[in-house]
Amino acid sequence: MKILVSIISLIAFLLVALPAPLHKFGFLDLGTAMTGFRFGLFVGIAALVLLAIQVIFKRKTVSLASAAIAVIFSAIAIALPLGMMNNAKSVPPIHDISTDLVNPPEFVAIVPLRADASNPVEYAGAETAEQQRTAYPDLQTLTYSQSKPELIEAAKQTMENLGWELVNTDADKGIIEATDTTTWFGFKDDVVVRVTDNGGERLVDIRSKSRIGRSDMGKNAARIHGFIDELNSVIEPS
C-alpha cells in the first residue's frame, strides 16, 4: 500500500510538472499538455484518498517520510491546477489588452509572425474593451514630457530589461514591437508600444495580445503593468 501511494502521488506530481516544459520545447501539443495537467489534479486527490485509507486501516505500514512526500507531491498536483482555475475565474476571458481602447496600437512587423496563431491580429472589439474597462480601469494612455526619440529608446531599453524579443522599431511612426515568451508553457504573446505627439507632451500606449487561448488569465494586463513600472524606472532612475 505504501508503495502504491508513493507511486500514485509521484505520477500526480509529474502530470502537473512535466506538461508545461514538454509543450514549451515541442514534445507535446497544447491539448495533450492541458489534459495531462488537469488529470494530475484528480490523480493527486486519489493519492490523498489512498493515503487516508492506509492511515486508517493499515497504520503500521505508514512511515512519516513516505507519507510526507506523498502529501507534498499530491498537494502540488492539486494546488497548481486549482490555482490556475481560480485565477481564470477572477479575470475576464479576454486576451487582448490595450491602454487605448478606442484606437488600439496596431501590429505591423509582428503580423506575419502570427500567421498560424488561433487569435487574429486585429483588435478583439467592443465587448473585449468593455470587459477590460471593468477589470482593469487603471490601464489608460500614459502622458510624458520627454521627447519622442527619448521615449522610443526608453521603451526599447524597457523591453530589453524585461527579456522580451524586440521585433521592430519604427521611429518615424513611433512604433516598437516585441514578443514575450511565458516562462512555464512557453506561450508567445505580442506587444506593441506607440508613442505619439500631443502638443507639448507625448502619449504612450501599450497593447499586449496572446497568440492562442480565449483567456490569458490576466497575463497581458500584468505584462502591461510591469512594462509601465519598468519604463518609469528607466525614464526616472532612482
Side-chain angles (χ1 to χ4, degrees):
M1 187 73 168
K2 178 171 70 174
I3 295 176
L4 178 63
V5 171
S6 298
I7 291 175
I8 293 178
S9 62
L10 176 60
I11 291 173
F13 173 76
L14 294 176
L15 282 171
V16 299
L18 292 181
L22 287 177
H23 169 70
K24 181 177 182 178
F25 294 107
F27 294 103
L28 284 181
D29 62 82
L30 182 58
T32 302
M34 294 305 296
T35 297
F37 193 75
R38 287 190 294 266
F39 192 59
L41 168 64
F42 300 107
V43 177
I45 293 173
L48 290 182
V49 170
L50 287 175
L51 179 60
I53 293 173
Q54 182 187 8
V55 170
I56 295 171
F57 297 104
K58 295 187 177 183
R59 186 173 301 176
K60 292 182 179 180
T61 67
V62 178
S63 70
L64 182 59
S66 63
I69 292 173
V71 169
I72 292 172
F73 280 169
S74 299
I76 293 173
I78 294 170
L80 286 178
L82 284 181
M84 287 184 64
M85 287 188 284
N86 289 334
N87 187 37
K89 291 179 181 178
S90 68
V91 297
I94 56 179
H95 56 262
D96 195 346
I97 305 296
S98 174
T99 55
D100 186 344
L101 298 175
V102 177
N103 181 30
E106 295 182 356
F107 294 107
V108 181
I110 277 176
V111 171
L113 301 181
R114 297 180 63 98
D116 297 327
S118 58
N119 294 331
V121 71
E122 295 79 16
Y123 183 63
E127 183 179 351
T128 291
E130 187 59 34
Q131 292 184 75
Q132 180 186 318
R133 286 190 184 96
T134 302
Y136 315 113
D138 59 318
L139 289 180
Q140 299 180 9
T141 299
L142 306 172
T143 303
Y144 292 96
S145 60
Q146 284 79 7
S147 68
K148 190 173 181 179
E150 287 175 325
L151 287 170
I152 290 173
E153 288 303 314
K156 288 170 61 178
Q157 183 62 53
T158 298
M159 291 176 174
E160 181 180 332
N161 293 351
L162 294 173
W164 300 354
E165 179 185 356
L166 185 65
V167 175
N168 175 51
T169 302
D170 189 328
D172 292 334
K173 295 182 179 179
I175 294 294
I176 312 99
E177 297 173 271
T179 296
D180 182 25
T181 302
T182 62
T183 303
W184 200 17
F185 272 92
F187 294 137
K188 299 284 187 179
D189 297 339
D190 298 308
V191 182
V192 54
V193 175
R194 181 182 65 202
V195 182
T196 56
D197 288 313
N198 183 39
E201 59 186 14
R202 255 55 57 195
L203 305 181
V204 175
D205 284 294
I206 311 101
R207 179 183 171 198
S208 181
K209 183 179 180 75
S210 303
R211 294 188 186 181
I212 62 173
R214 180 167 177 254
S215 173
D216 63 8
M217 294 190 289
K219 180 62 178 178
N220 286 299
R223 179 179 293 112
I224 292 177
H225 280 125
F227 177 88
I228 293 172
D229 291 341
E230 183 64 24
L231 177 64
N232 288 334
S233 70
V234 169
I235 293 174
E236 299 176 1
S238 55

